[in-house]
Amino acid sequence: MTLSATGVSIRFGGLVALNNVAVSVSPGEILGLVGPNGAGKTTLFNCLTGVSKPQAGKVQLEGRDISRLSLADRVRLGIGRTFQTPRLDLGSSVADAVMLGFNPRLRQSIVSACLPFSKARRTEDDLSSRARQLIAEFQLTADPDSSAGELSLGHLRLLEVARALASEPRYLLLDEPAAGIDDVDRDLLADAIRNAAARGLGVLLVEHNVGFVAELSHRMVALVSGEVVAEGKPAYVVADPQVVAAYLGVHHVAA
Amino acid sequence: MSNEAKLWTAPAVIVVGFCIVMLLGIAQPSLHTTMFTIGLYALIALPLGLIYGQGGTISMAQGSFAALGAYTSAILCTRFGFSPTLSVIPAVVMPACVAFLIARPILRLPELSLALVTLSLGTVVAVGLQRGGDFTGSFVGLSGAPPLPLVGNHPVWVATTLWAVVLIVVIMYSHFVHSARGRSLNAIRVDRLLAESMGVNVPFDLSIMFAIAAGIAGLAGWFYVHTLGYIAPDSLGAHTSANILFMVVLGGRRAVLGPVLGATFFTFANDFLPGAETHGLFFGTILVLILLLSPDGILSPQAMRVLRRLFSRRDRVSRARLPGTAEVTEASR
Ligand SMILES: Nc1ncnc2c1ncn2[C@@H]1O[C@H](COP(=O)(O)OP(=O)(O)OP(=O)(O)O)[C@@H](O)[C@H]1O
Ligand SMILES: [Mg+2]
């Protein structure tokens, strides 16, 4: 009963982005994934969600091999994600941007979408009010009909989380959701992640703010240069010499 | 705007606009045939607004799909004794199937290549029709297509029937835009990866939309051939496709009514402009001007903002000139 990757390897030209990586996340669990820039965290997300196809290894969802399924199929099976750089139509309204998140669960026919007084019409009002609820919950904006382009980067990240939750995923993959967001929003985000896990979602959380992940996660995995170097309780992983070295190295370079 | 208002504004504009022009047509009967031309272009342009404006997928094949529909119906009626009532089905289905079959490989292409490929599709269709011998009437085309069922050749009834179809398309388009399917299509335009991550089967959805657009163009072709009674290889086709794209881009590709506005503008301009040589120059200049001011055409939020600014400025100036209101205007700044 997990979402798991086993023996996943992927290379881009000569660069080995992931080398024989295994991770798994269970329902209700928050798994923190840390590692320096270029460690392969996003690439691992891409392999789990079907954006990239690994050259070796397989991805399983509750025992079923989903390695060959497309991104769209995997979302419909309940693997939701956010992107490191938010992806959305900045010209649409905030409400419409969140409502897009309901699509993986809807099976709407084109005919129904086109006709007045159809089933699609009746669901539309329902979806709209559910989206507005999510917008209020995440305090994205006071006016859901305003343009998404007016939101701050932090709010765009929260919008992606709200949108991913709208698809009622069983597993939620968050790629640096707390990067560049303020303290109030970070608390909102932490609550949302805890609530999701409490409802039985498996959460995979990539984050550079090690303090933030360590506090939220039940378990952590550290990735360095495409390999898992440490795995276990947050306190243990954070103290791991290789992880410390990798992060110190990053700070060293940055400084 | 309330939800209902969003859905019904465009259809209401169509009904009101149609009634006004048809009433003016009592004094100026040529308006009835003008209305037919506008409706025909609108019917071919509307689905291009859908796939290009919403889906971000350009097509320069709409005119050729209309020709395909027209020829299909004309051949069935003149050679195989079909009635137009029956041949309307193959006139729609034939272009739709062709479009669906070619869609998958070509819709992956970037915009410019897609424009060229769909344009060359028009050339293929034209050459096929010209070389089709007696079957397609080769260079001369086909004549003797029977008039439309029920309404016959009466300009008022023909225009009314055509615009009833345009109205239905506009109603469906308005509803589609405000539906989950509409949001999926918009996501495809913005970012295909986003669309896929929202569960959209991008190649399939685009192919279906491309096919629907072709089918509606085929329906317009059916109206064309059974109203005029004949069709030649250059009646509809590549140049029509180019004009249709002009209408969509000028009128506003993102707005439901953009293509209809573009079709109206194009038809009236065509009627009033003197020599055919000046047409290209005129339309080219207009297009450049509009796109510089508002890249999304006339019916777009940006153009509305420009207009509002223009009008509010004039408003302020005229109010300032009235004695006694100048202070108010000054104070409200
Ligand atoms: N599509 C691609 N083509 C070529 N190289 C890629 C591609 N995607 C990722 N890489 C490379 O793979 C390595 C891992 O990248 P990845 O984005 O997974 O790192 P990350 O851990 O998410 O880093 P960050 O913290 O900066 O987001 C990097 O060296 C990156 O340049
Ligand atoms: Mg990354």
Side-chain angles (χ1 to χ4, degrees), chain B residues 183-196:
Chain B
R183 284 187 289 276
S184 293
L185 190 60
N186 270 291
I188 295 176
R189 170 176 49 82
V190 174
D191 178 350
R192 287 191 185 193
L193 188 60
L194 166 66
E196 279 173 31

Side-chain angles (χ1 to χ4, degrees), chain A residues 71-72 75-76 83 87-89 96 99-101 103-104 106 108 110 113-114 116 121 124-125 127 163, chain B residues 3 7-8 171-172 175-176 178-181 183-184 187 189-191 193-194 196-200 208-209:
Chain A
L71 171 58
V75 191
R76 287 196 221 108
F83 293 93
R87 288 179 178 266
L88 75 163
D89 180 3
D96 278 337
M99 281 164 85
L100 185 60
N103 283 22
L106 288 175
Q108 193 172 80
I110 294 179
C114 288
R121 277 306 110 207
E124 188 74 2
D125 290 338
L127 297 183
R163 186 178 67 192
Chain B
N3 279 344
L7 295 174
W8 294 101
I171 290 174
M172 294 175 80
H175 282 75
F176 179 84
H178 296 106
S179 76
R181 281 295 191 142
R183 284 187 289 276
S184 293
R189 170 176 49 82
V190 174
D191 178 350
L193 188 60
L194 166 66
E196 279 173 31
S197 78
M198 292 296 132
V200 181
I208 288 279
M209 289 299 156

Side-chain angles (χ1 to χ4, degrees), chain B residues 7-95:
Chain B
L7 295 174
W8 294 101
T9 309
V13 170
I14 294 288
V15 171
V16 172
F18 174 78
C19 291
I20 291 175
V21 179
M22 291 310 271
L23 285 176
L24 291 175
I26 297 172
Q28 178 74 38
S30 74
L31 274 179
H32 294 144
T33 35
T34 307
M35 225 24 203
F36 175 78
T37 311
I38 298 175
L40 200 72
Y41 284 143
L43 198 55
I44 308 176
L46 274 164
L48 181 61
L50 175 74
I51 60 169
Y52 185 42
Q54 312 302 324
T57 308
I58 201 168
S59 167
M60 297 272 280
Q62 281 297 88
S64 306
F65 287 133
L68 218 52
Y71 266 97
T72 303
S73 192
I75 289 171
L76 288 174
C77 290
T78 57
R79 308 228 183 282
F80 300 97
F82 276 57
S83 76
T85 322
L86 198 63
S87 70
V88 67
I89 296 168
V92 171
V93 172
M94 172 80 171

Side-chain angles (χ1 to χ4, degrees), chain A residues 1-192:
Chain A
M1 285 296 281
T2 56
L3 169 65
S4 65
T6 38
V8 165
S9 300
I10 185 166
R11 54 169 74 226
F12 298 106
L15 179 96
V16 181
L18 291 176
N19 185 17
N20 199 13
V21 169
V23 288
S24 79
V25 53
S26 333
E29 182 186 37
I30 303 174
L31 177 67
L33 184 61
V34 291
N37 290 107
K41 305 180 296 294
T42 301
T43 306
L44 180 58
F45 266 30
N46 288 344
C47 291
L48 286 168
T49 53
V51 176
S52 313
K53 299 277 153 75
Q55 278 121 13
K58 61 181 173 184
V59 179
Q60 285 174 301
L61 177 68
E62 297 176 347
R64 175 179 170 195
D65 187 351
I66 56 166
S67 306
R68 292 174 165 278
L69 295 187
S70 70
L71 171 58
D73 287 338
R74 294 191 205 186
V75 191
R76 287 196 221 108
L77 287 177
I79 304 177
R81 78 171 286 180
T82 65
F83 293 93
Q84 189 167 345
T85 358
R87 288 179 178 266
L88 75 163
D89 180 3
L90 292 174
S92 77
S93 72
V94 177
D96 278 337
V98 173
M99 281 164 85
L100 185 60
F102 295 116
N103 283 22
R105 290 285 165 200
L106 288 175
R107 282 256 165 242
Q108 193 172 80
S109 76
I110 294 179
V111 176
S112 173
C114 288
L115 292 184
F117 318 112
S118 63
K119 183 158 160 270
R121 277 306 110 207
R122 293 190 292 277
T123 38
E124 188 74 2
D125 290 338
D126 175 44
L127 297 183
S128 167
S129 64
R130 276 162 65 195
R132 274 151 219 271
Q133 230 169 311
L134 280 167
I135 291 167
E137 222 171 276
F138 282 88
Q139 301 175 13
L140 293 179
T141 169
D143 177 14
D145 294 314
S146 63
S147 159
E150 290 165 22
L151 297 185
S152 65
L153 176 65
H155 280 165
L156 289 180
R157 290 196 188 286
L158 287 182
L159 189 156
E160 283 214 335
V161 179
R163 186 178 67 192
L165 285 172
S167 71
E168 295 169 33
R170 288 188 283 171
Y171 294 91
L172 180 61
L173 280 56
L174 305 173
D175 200 347
E176 304 196 16
I181 79 176
D182 65 26
D183 292 347
V184 179
D185 290 339
R186 186 175 303 131
D187 290 344
L188 267 169
L189 177 69
D191 283 345

